[in-house]
Amino acid sequence: MTYVLALVVLVLALPWGVAWLVRRLAALLPPREACWALTGAAVLMAGGTIAVLAGLFHVPLLASLERLPLGRVLEEWPAAVPAACVAGVALAFQLVLLVRRWRKHRSLLKRAWQSAGGGVHDGDVLVLPGDEVDAFALPRYRRRPARVVMTSGMVAALKPGEHAALLAHERAHLAGRHHVLAAVADLSAMVHPAVRSLTKLLEFHLERWADEAAAIAVGDRKVVAGAIARAALAGAAQRRRPDAGYPVLSATTGPVPQRVEALLLPRPAAPQRGARRAEAWGLTLTVALSTVAAVAVAYGLHEYVEYAASAVRGG
């Protein structure tokens, strides 16, 4: 059973390597595909971790279902009961973290809607009075439809044309349901710490996705770059909202200089895009094979118990 334990340890450590591969993969992909790759990898990493822990936790239970005496299990694998206890504690701890994180998400969204309660409706836009410089996408909450929120201070800070660019950016967040992707990755990070390195990167690529969508909507990448830079500079002097980030996505979040630079740079040539695509496919295959290994180990634990039970009954 030593090799099984070694495989379990390997799979639990594997997400650290997978996270490195996914970060490299995201750098090769367009923003939208990078977001899906990061979110999908976060789910697979979390799912693989849960599968292995659940497999360890169920070893004594599976043995009892197979009518295999616990003493016989301990002869084959002395660490079975301690490993099951550790796995059970880890699963319970993860459940607590997930519930607390989900409740925090709902609380932040409720507070954001309350702060926008005094806004003036202008179609799908809520304009808040005041000198504060801010703009963000507010997802649907209960029966309230999704809205783009913009303060009067932000409207005054932007030049003609930049207002439409910023609205297009925030509308892209809502249309792409970016808050859902951010939430899934954030909750997955409660399962395995390696996923946490992907959440900030996902935030950057979600903003890049919205930047590119806004550039298509207004037809001018320079106008979008100017709107983002001006909005970020105008809001730099004020205190950052305590609820910034998920579920409230703002055009001024993330590394703004890199986003502006990406909008101003020309697209890579076709041969460069082909080479990047080939490397991306190779990394995607590696990530998929790595994460599937976790599920295979969990299944292997079940098969091992069945094999041990049949050996005992045969002996």
Side-chain angles (χ1 to χ4, degrees):
M1 195 64 183
T2 304
Y3 77 94
V4 176
L5 186 59
L7 281 175
V8 169
V9 173
L10 175 62
V11 171
L12 291 177
L14 197 60
W16 298 105
V18 172
W20 181 84
L21 289 172
V22 174
R23 290 196 298 270
R24 182 174 175 82
L25 174 62
L28 300 172
L29 295 173
R32 182 176 64 177
E33 286 76 7
C35 291
W36 283 108
L38 289 165
T39 306
V43 171
L44 288 173
M45 291 159 66
T49 301
I50 291 174
V52 170
L53 292 175
L56 286 173
F57 179 67
H58 281 86
V59 166
L61 176 61
L62 291 173
S64 65
L65 292 175
E66 294 289 342
R67 297 181 180 179
L68 180 63
L70 184 58
R72 185 69 179 89
V73 174
L74 295 177
E75 288 179 10
E76 291 290 330
W77 188 18
V81 173
C85 292
V86 171
V89 171
L91 287 170
F93 183 65
Q94 289 169 348
L95 179 60
V96 171
L97 289 179
L98 285 169
V99 171
R100 290 181 61 184
R101 196 68 171 182
W102 175 251
R103 293 181 64 182
K104 180 180 179 181
H105 289 172
R106 300 302 294 176
S107 175
L108 289 177
L109 186 55
K110 180 180 179 181
R111 284 162 46 194
W113 268 105
Q114 288 174 343
S115 69
V120 178
H121 287 268
D122 183 10
D124 64 339
V125 181
L126 278 173
V127 180
L128 299 180
D131 297 330
E132 186 179 4
V133 180
D134 205 357
F136 52 90
L138 199 53
R140 178 179 178 179
Y141 178 68
R142 294 181 177 174
R143 295 185 178 180
R144 302 173 185 176
R147 288 285 186 266
V148 174
V149 179
M150 184 174 290
T151 63
S152 299
M154 179 64 81
V155 174
L158 298 177
K159 289 185 175 180
E162 294 177 345
H163 179 266
L166 200 64
L167 286 178
H169 174 100
E170 301 301 345
R171 285 172 177 146
H173 277 318
L174 296 176
R177 299 184 65 81
H178 294 174
H179 60 285
V180 176
L181 299 182
V184 169
D186 190 49
L187 292 173
S188 298
M190 299 297 100
V191 176
H192 198 292
V195 183
R196 295 172 190 169
S197 64
L198 304 182
T199 54
K200 280 293 181 183
L201 188 59
L202 175 62
E203 180 181 343
F204 167 70
H205 283 286
L206 286 173
E207 295 301 331
R208 286 282 300 116
W209 181 354
D211 291 343
E212 294 296 333
I216 294 173
V218 302
D220 193 330
R221 300 175 66 84
K222 290 184 178 180
V223 170
V224 177
I228 293 169
R230 194 177 307 279
L233 288 173
Q238 67 187 30
R239 185 173 62 87
R240 184 176 172 86
R241 291 192 318 275
D243 58 350
Y246 175 83
V248 179
L249 298 172
S250 171
T252 59
T253 57
V256 173
Q258 289 91 320
R259 291 169 53 201
V260 172
E261 182 182 9
L263 284 167
L264 297 178
L265 287 175
R267 294 187 64 191
Q272 291 177 313
R273 292 199 298 270
R276 288 161 67 98
R277 191 178 296 113
E279 187 176 357
W281 273 111
L283 288 172
T284 301
L285 181 60
T286 303
V287 170
L289 291 175
S290 300
T291 49
V292 166
V295 179
V297 169
Y299 179 76
L301 289 171
H302 180 274
E303 291 298 304
Y304 178 83
V305 173
E306 287 193 348
Y307 170 78
S310 62
V312 170
R313 286 194 296 267

